[in-house]
Amino acid sequence: MQRKKCMLPALMCCAILLISIISVAQSVKVICKVADKNGVPISYAAIQVSSATDSANAHYEADTDSAGTSTFTLTSGEKYIVRTFSMGYRPAVKNILVKGTRPVFDIVLEPDTKTLGTVNVTYKRPLMRQEEDKTIVDPEELAASSTNAFDIIEKVPGLFVDQDGNIYISSSTPATVYINGREQKMGRAEVAAMLKSLPPGSIDRIEIMRTPSTRYDASSSGGIVNVILKKGVRIGLTGSVNAGMNQGTYGNQFAGVVINNSNGVLSTSFNIQASRRATGEQLNTDRTFAADSLLSQNAYTTYPGDSYYGSYSIGYTPNKKWDITYDGRGSLNHNNTNSSSPAHIEKISTGEQVLTYKTDVANRAANKNITQGLSGKYKIDTLGSEWSTDLTWSGTPTRSEQAYNTVYYTPFYDSLSGKGNIDNRYNYFAFQTDMVWKLPYKISLEGGVKASNVWFCGSTDYDRTYNDTTRPDPARTNAYTYEEHIYAGYLQATKTLQSILIKGGSRIENTNMLGHQTVPTDTGFRIRRTDLFPYLYISRKLMKIAGWELRSYLIYRRTITRPAYDYLNPFPRYVDQYLSEAGNPSLRPQFTKNYEANVSVDDRPIIAFGYNDMTDMFSQVVYQADSSRRQTLRTYDNLGTNKEFYMKGLGAIPPGKTYFFVLGGQYNYNFYEGFYNGQPLSYTRGSWTFFTYQTLKLGKYTQVVLNGFMRYKGQVQFYELSTFGALNLSVNRQFLQKKLKVTLSVNDMFFTNNNHFVIEQGNIYATGLRRGDTRRYGMNVMYNFGIRKKEEHNFLNAESPENSK
């Protein structure tokens, strides 16, 4: 407390000093729109703006967004020189005079058909930047030391990924994952597996939305992480070949090729990747289930597997009005999971082991995923009005086998084994259409409708062998079907009032869920409901300090968290002879009201405060399943309310210099109140997360990257975790005119990404240790190439798209 009192005057003095150097000149927003000669916007073009009279003291850099637009804050009445660069286009230079309010300057780039290797721009996109209500991450440097998309997300400053694959942005509720703006209607384990099959070089950018607008589904209480994959958007033929490996206790290897081609009207992209991965995890648990009885289990599980991934994208732009894209991806995954778990039950008072045994479980699974998408965009006018439509289908059939064997050693020798076949089939289809109207007086209207549909069916057949006799096992055999149909519509408006931007609207969603278990008994459930989700977003320019624009944001949002189909299936699933897990068909959805205030500097977020008010909160819980308390059931239940406060801070040195760093921290405080296992629940917990990302340039071609996180007094649902974290280091070197990049890396170099845990709720008390194969040494190699048109008679003279930034 004394430290906080000392810091407050110091912060106030700094603020007064900074305010004293605020520029008094009148500043206006200047919009630069970059397009080709057909009027097609050019995304992520680099723009440099310098004063025509004093270029040494007035220099600005930015890149265009997905609509080819970039915004600068310049001085009214001044003349500036605007230089624009983009791979495959000739550099453009334009002189402008800033006058009026919010002037718009159009910049037209001509295709560079002579050579693809003449562009040499030193401008570098920032790692993170703010664009209205979302943070955009450039994954280029993160990808250099990663083996898949999931690795990249783990290294993004401010994101936290737990050991089960859940991704957290700010709150204790996991974020929803989108691919190319499309929600992935799968369980979190399936989404994590899919991200691990995506190669790191396939990601163009990552969009982080803590509080998404009404355009997005309301079932995103924890925010949205939207992974945008690369498409063939460059003139000519370019691509890359990559290969890599990393080694811990087990090894991972991958290799692939990416090819992009575009002639301005038709653009194509192909990506093929193969990987072999293996990792391991240790899980030790001590659980007290009676006054004088302790169950100790020490499990070690290995996860070897092979993945084959392919994707394509075909874009057709017949004129400056239409943009049509057909894209798809598919993956084939073979996963083998092998677990060995020696265990014993002992009397706490004497240490006598009354029962000892070992359980071995082997799982073999073949998973296929096929996703197809067709999208179209029609540009209504030059103001930015447009109509877009998207169709998506995804299918995921999975066939797996499980075999288990338990051998008892004391008090007498015995054995029990079993084998099961699991067949799951999942299909998802969604239709969405949106329209944006740009009206006079800086008013924008947006509306749309969406229909999403899920069909799932699963069957499990088990046999049980005891005393050399094999019989069907009805306790583990079941069949289950599930349907989900959600119909939604939204309307929102945006209005700019000088330095204030206001966006507000509402979304309505009609939910229909139907679950039906046919084996072993005929049970079912049905959920039908309609809910309204309002949204309000206010952004205001605060001040300009030493050339840095300070902007504040206020956001209110209401969301819903629906239980997934496996959360609702009531059939108990076997984990071991003392633990089963089952869904809860009476589970109610969770509603959250989120309030957030944040501040950014020059489109880079620096601090945020938020409050989540959750009702009908549901969580994974552990109950005793029998009177002896030996049998434990892991399920889901509505527990009551959770009031969560969070704050997040971020500081950084701007990129482009020799040394660049991002350093931040986040604090979450949760207060639960309700009932757990029939008993009153009143539980509070606060936890800290710190993260950093740093780069050091050692000359023109070498760069050192250090990133990591630390979580203090962490929490996952009701499990209290000890302090843990990870520090990652990589060195990358470029060769052959920056076409070849070699990266050496070590992840979790101090082997600190493991934790002890405690759960003490109701009559459950357990402690344990969880440790994975996280310390890994690796090497990645990527070669970027380009081929010009045949009439140029020169086939290998191109810089990579990454080097054009």
Side-chain angles (χ1 to χ4, degrees):
M1 181 63 70
Q2 185 66 31
R3 182 180 294 179
K4 292 183 178 179
K5 291 182 179 179
C6 294
M7 291 177 60
L8 183 59
L11 292 174
M12 293 178 64
C13 291
C14 292
I16 294 172
L17 179 63
L18 291 173
I19 293 174
S20 65
I21 58 176
I22 296 176
S23 175
V24 296
Q26 183 181 1
S27 299
V28 297
K29 286 284 187 181
V30 175
I31 300 175
C32 294
K33 292 186 174 181
V34 182
D36 62 16
K37 61 183 179 180
N38 295 320
V40 178
I42 299 176
S43 305
Y44 313 115
I47 301 179
Q48 297 176 347
V49 178
S50 58
S51 172
T53 57
D54 188 9
S55 59
N57 295 326
H59 187 76
Y60 309 92
E61 295 178 339
D63 55 344
T64 59
D65 58 20
S66 57
T69 300
S70 187
T71 303
F72 297 88
T73 302
L74 304 178
T75 304
S76 180
E78 291 289 328
K79 294 181 179 179
Y80 293 88
I81 301 173
V82 180
R83 297 177 174 87
T84 308
F85 310 88
S86 184
M87 183 64 187
Y89 296 90
R90 297 175 184 172
V93 179
K94 186 170 186 175
N95 296 307
I96 64 173
L97 172 63
V98 177
K99 60 181 180 179
T101 58
R102 205 173 179 83
V104 178
F105 296 97
D106 293 317
I107 301 172
V108 178
L109 298 185
E110 294 288 336
D112 188 356
T113 58
K114 293 183 178 180
T115 176
L116 293 175
T118 58
V119 180
N120 184 17
V121 184
T122 58
Y123 167 69
K124 182 177 180 63
R125 293 196 317 203
L127 174 69
M128 303 175 70
R129 59 187 173 88
Q130 190 73 20
E131 186 180 293
E132 289 193 0
D133 53 359
K134 61 187 174 185
T135 302
I136 299 178
V137 179
D138 178 15
E140 178 188 358
E141 299 299 338
L142 302 177
S145 59
S146 303
T147 59
N148 53 61
F150 192 79
D151 285 350
I152 293 178
I153 292 176
E154 286 186 304
K155 295 173 183 176
V156 172
L159 293 184
F160 171 69
V161 181
D162 69 16
Q163 291 161 305
D164 295 315
N166 297 300
I167 303 170
Y168 299 87
I169 300 176
S170 296
S171 73
S172 58
T173 302
T176 303
V177 175
Y178 281 49
I179 304 291
N180 290 341
R182 300 160 180 161
E183 183 181 4
Q184 306 302 299
K185 285 280 189 177
M186 294 186 288
R188 304 199 190 281
E190 289 85 355
V191 171
M194 180 191 62
L195 291 173
K196 290 177 182 179
S197 71
L198 291 173
S202 65
I203 300 180
D204 181 71
R205 66 187 186 277
I206 299 173
E207 298 176 345
I208 302 172
M209 291 168 272
R210 291 190 300 272
T211 52
S213 71
T214 58
R215 181 187 180 99
Y216 298 94
D217 294 330
S219 58
S220 51
S221 301
I224 291 175
V225 175
N226 185 20
V227 179
I228 305 297
L229 303 179
K230 288 181 179 179
K231 298 181 180 179
V233 295
R234 304 295 184 183
I235 296 295
L237 177 64
T238 61
S240 64
V241 179
N242 63 89
M245 56 77 65
N246 61 39
Q247 183 70 44
T249 304
Y250 304 92
N252 297 338
Q253 306 85 33
F254 72 92
V257 60
V258 179
I259 299 176
N260 303 311
N261 188 28
S262 176
N263 60 14
V265 176
L266 184 68
S267 61
T268 56
S269 176
F270 298 94
N271 189 336
I272 299 175
Q273 189 85 12
S275 64
R276 171 168 292 176
R277 61 182 184 273
T279 186
E281 182 183 66
Q282 179 183 355
L283 179 62
N284 300 340
T285 305
D286 293 325
R287 178 168 65 87
T288 302
F289 62 83
D292 195 30
S293 295
L294 178 71
L295 171 63
S296 294
Q297 296 173 295
N298 301 313
Y300 191 84
T301 306
T302 58
Y303 303 92
D306 299 319
S307 295
Y308 305 93
Y309 171 84
S311 68
Y312 61 88
S313 173
I314 302 173
Y316 179 58
T317 309
N319 52 52
K320 61 182 181 180
K321 292 284 188 180
W322 281 100
D323 186 359
I324 302 171
T325 302
Y326 179 64
D327 62 284
R329 63 180 185 274
S331 63
L332 174 62
N333 302 287
H334 294 283
N335 301 309
N336 301 321
T337 304
N338 302 286
S339 174
S340 180
S341 177
H344 67 268
I345 296 176
E346 68 178 45
K347 290 184 178 181
I348 300 175
S349 58
T350 64
E352 177 189 359
Q353 295 186 359
V354 297
L355 177 66
T356 60
Y357 65 95
K358 186 178 79 166
T359 299
D360 295 322
V361 180
N363 295 283
R364 304 288 182 265
N367 171 278
K368 301 175 184 177
N369 176 265
I370 302 174
T371 299
Q372 302 294 301
L374 177 64
S375 61
K377 181 182 293 185
Y378 177 74
K379 301 175 179 63
I380 299 174
D381 53 39
T382 57
L383 297 177
S385 302
E386 63 182 29
W387 171 46
S388 59
T389 300
D390 187 272
L391 293 165
T392 307
W393 171 80
S394 179
T396 308
T398 303
R399 298 183 65 89
S400 57
E401 296 179 354
Q402 183 185 72
Y404 66 89
N405 181 54
T406 301
V407 178
Y408 297 89
Y409 300 101
T410 58
F412 52 84
Y413 184 86
D414 202 356
S415 65
L416 172 69
S417 62
K419 186 176 182 180
N421 295 309
I422 301 122
D423 187 3
N424 293 333
R425 297 184 180 275
Y426 164 90
N427 282 277
Y428 171 68
F429 175 76
F431 166 80
Q432 181 173 354
T433 183
D434 304 278
M435 187 168 288
V436 178
W437 296 273
K438 298 291 185 178
L439 303 176
Y441 307 105
K442 300 179 181 179
I443 297 176
S444 176
L445 296 179
E446 184 176 356
V449 296
K450 180 179 179 180
S452 61
N453 306 272
V454 171
W455 295 272
F456 172 85
C457 64
S459 63
T460 303
D461 295 306
Y462 267 89
D463 292 329
R464 181 173 181 265
T465 301
Y466 183 66
N467 289 334
D468 296 326
T469 302
T470 300
R471 295 190 178 120
D473 187 354
R476 298 190 180 102
T477 299
N478 79 98
Y480 175 66
T481 61
Y482 172 83
E483 292 185 21
E484 177 185 284
H485 307 281
I486 300 175
Y487 308 103
Y490 77 96
L491 182 65
Q492 66 184 22
T494 304
K495 169 65 178 174
T496 302
L497 298 171
Q498 295 181 348
S499 62
I500 301 176
L501 176 67
I502 302 175
K503 181 190 295 185
S506 188
R507 184 181 184 91
I508 187 171
E509 292 191 352
N510 174 256
T511 303
N512 301 271
M513 295 180 175
L514 176 63
H516 191 200
Q517 179 180 275
T518 57
V519 177
T521 58
D522 192 350
T523 60
F525 64 88
R526 182 185 297 270
I527 298 174
R528 289 181 177 175
R529 60 182 304 132
T530 301
D531 302 285
L532 194 65
F533 303 96
Y535 173 84
L536 179 62
Y537 168 91
I538 301 175
S539 172
R540 183 181 187 275
K541 177 183 176 183
L542 295 178
M543 60 184 71
K544 195 172 184 181
I545 302 178
W548 301 88
E549 181 180 284
L550 211 65
R551 197 168 188 90
S552 64
Y553 303 84
L554 294 173
I555 307 167
Y556 164 76
R557 182 174 182 248
R558 183 175 188 256
T559 60
I560 184 174
T561 302
R562 300 181 182 89
Y565 54 83
D566 52 340
Y567 293 8
L568 300 169
N569 184 2
F571 186 77
R573 294 175 291 277
Y574 172 85
V575 179
D576 59 46
Q577 59 268 47
Y578 294 105
L579 175 64
S580 298
E581 57 184 15
N584 180 0
S586 61
L587 203 61
R588 300 184 301 275
Q590 168 185 301
F591 290 91
T592 303
K593 293 180 181 178
N594 174 246
Y595 308 83
E596 182 175 299
N598 60 69
V599 177
S600 68
V601 173
D602 266 24
D603 293 334
R604 293 176 178 88
I606 58 170
I607 192 167
F609 298 90
Y611 171 71
N612 291 321
D613 186 4
M614 307 177 193
T615 57
D616 272 339
M617 182 200 71
F618 66 80
S619 175
Q620 187 179 77
V621 292
V622 180
Y623 293 146
Q624 302 293 352
D626 64 352
S627 59
S628 70
R629 298 178 59 185
R630 290 190 177 186
Q631 294 294 325
T632 301
L633 177 65
R634 189 163 59 202
T635 184
Y636 296 85
D637 207 351
N638 294 101
L639 300 179
T641 64
N642 176 25
K643 301 183 184 301
E644 179 184 37
F645 167 79
Y646 62 87
M647 62 179 182
K648 193 170 190 174
L650 184 71
I653 292 178
K657 306 294 182 180
T658 301
Y659 177 64
F660 164 62
F661 84 88
V662 174
L663 182 65
Q666 178 176 314
Y667 178 73
N668 290 74
Y669 181 82
N670 288 273
F671 174 55
Y672 301 93
E673 193 168 28
F675 288 88
Y676 187 103
N677 202 16
Q679 300 179 11
L681 169 69
S682 183
Y683 175 73
T684 61
R685 178 75 169 177
S687 62
W688 281 96
T689 303
F690 301 97
F691 49 88
T692 186
Y693 178 87
Q694 305 178 40
T695 63
L696 176 65
K697 295 181 179 178
L698 302 177
K700 186 177 180 181
Y701 300 104
T702 305
Q703 181 172 261
V704 180
V705 179
L706 180 73
N707 66 82
F709 79 95
M710 183 183 76
R711 196 165 178 87
Y712 174 70
K713 295 184 68 174
Q715 177 185 359
V716 175
Q717 295 164 344
F718 288 104
Y719 288 88
E720 299 180 7
L721 312 179
S722 64
T723 300
F724 65 102
L727 199 62
N728 312 309
L729 178 68
S730 66
V731 179
N732 62 68
R733 170 79 177 181
Q734 294 177 317
F735 303 91
L736 302 178
Q737 298 181 345
K738 298 185 178 182
K739 299 189 183 89
L740 177 66
K741 178 184 286 188
V742 179
T743 301
L744 302 177
S745 63
V746 52
N747 292 334
D748 192 15
M749 64 174 72
F750 299 116
F751 200 34
T752 51
N753 195 7
N754 55 81
N755 61 79
H756 291 83
F757 61 85
V758 176
I759 181 170
E760 187 174 6
Q761 296 296 331
N763 54 5
I764 296 292
Y765 178 76
T767 63
L769 167 69
R770 190 170 185 179
R771 176 185 292 132
D773 183 19
T774 53
R775 181 162 58 187
R776 291 180 169 268
Y777 304 89
M779 181 176 70
N780 291 9
V781 179
M782 176 177 288
Y783 180 78
N784 299 282
F785 60 85
I787 301 177
R788 298 177 303 169
K789 297 179 180 180
K790 289 185 177 180
E791 57 268 22
E792 307 300 335
H793 303 292
N794 194 341
F795 294 96
L796 293 173
N797 186 18
E799 294 284 350
S800 69
E802 288 81 359
N803 292 332
S804 68
K805 298 169 186 173

